[in-house]
Amino acid sequence: MYPINTQPLGDRFFGNLTQINLNSTFALWQLTMATLQLTVPSMNCSVCAEKISKAVKGIDPAATIQADPATKLVNVETIAANETVKQAIVSAGYPVN
């Protein structure tokens, strides 16, 4: 059996990308889900929550988003990089703390 060497390789989109080197010739790539909890102070209603969800789904259609206007919290489970998710929400018009 070959020794396995892992190396995190996050980039601008895939923040949770890891290279698993099987040997000097072969490697596997593994994407893992990450959970983010973000505070969005200007999220005041369900329409805001829907816009935020749509923005995140635009960068990761498989993401799971829970947005609660009452607490101003957005929970995102995604393979996208943290900064990419934050930028998508900001681009939709909702600053993130």
Side-chain angles (χ1 to χ4, degrees), residues 27-48:
L28 300 173
W29 299 93
Q30 176 181 358
L31 285 172
T32 55
M33 300 292 275
T35 301
L36 305 169
Q37 185 175 61
L38 306 169
T39 302
V40 184
S42 60
M43 179 176 56
N44 296 315
C45 64
S46 62
V47 173
C48 298

Side-chain angles (χ1 to χ4, degrees), residues 4-5 20 22 25 28 33-34 36 41 50 52 79 85 91 96:
I4 296 177
N5 177 22
I20 302 170
L22 301 177
T25 306
L28 300 173
M33 300 292 275
L36 305 169
E50 185 60 35
I52 290 167
I79 60 170
V85 172
S91 295
V96 176

Side-chain angles (χ1 to χ4, degrees), residues 10 13 16 23 29 37 44 52 56 58 61 64 68-69 80 83 89 95-96:
F13 182 78
N16 308 306
N23 60 33
W29 299 93
Q37 185 175 61
N44 296 315
I52 290 167
V56 174
T64 302
D68 184 1
E83 288 304 315
I89 295 171
V96 176

Side-chain angles (χ1 to χ4, degrees), residues 72-89:
K72 312 286 190 197
L73 293 177
V74 176
N75 293 307
V76 180
E77 189 172 311
T78 182
I79 60 170
N82 297 358
E83 288 304 315
T84 304
V85 172
K86 290 177 185 177
Q87 185 57 44
I89 295 171

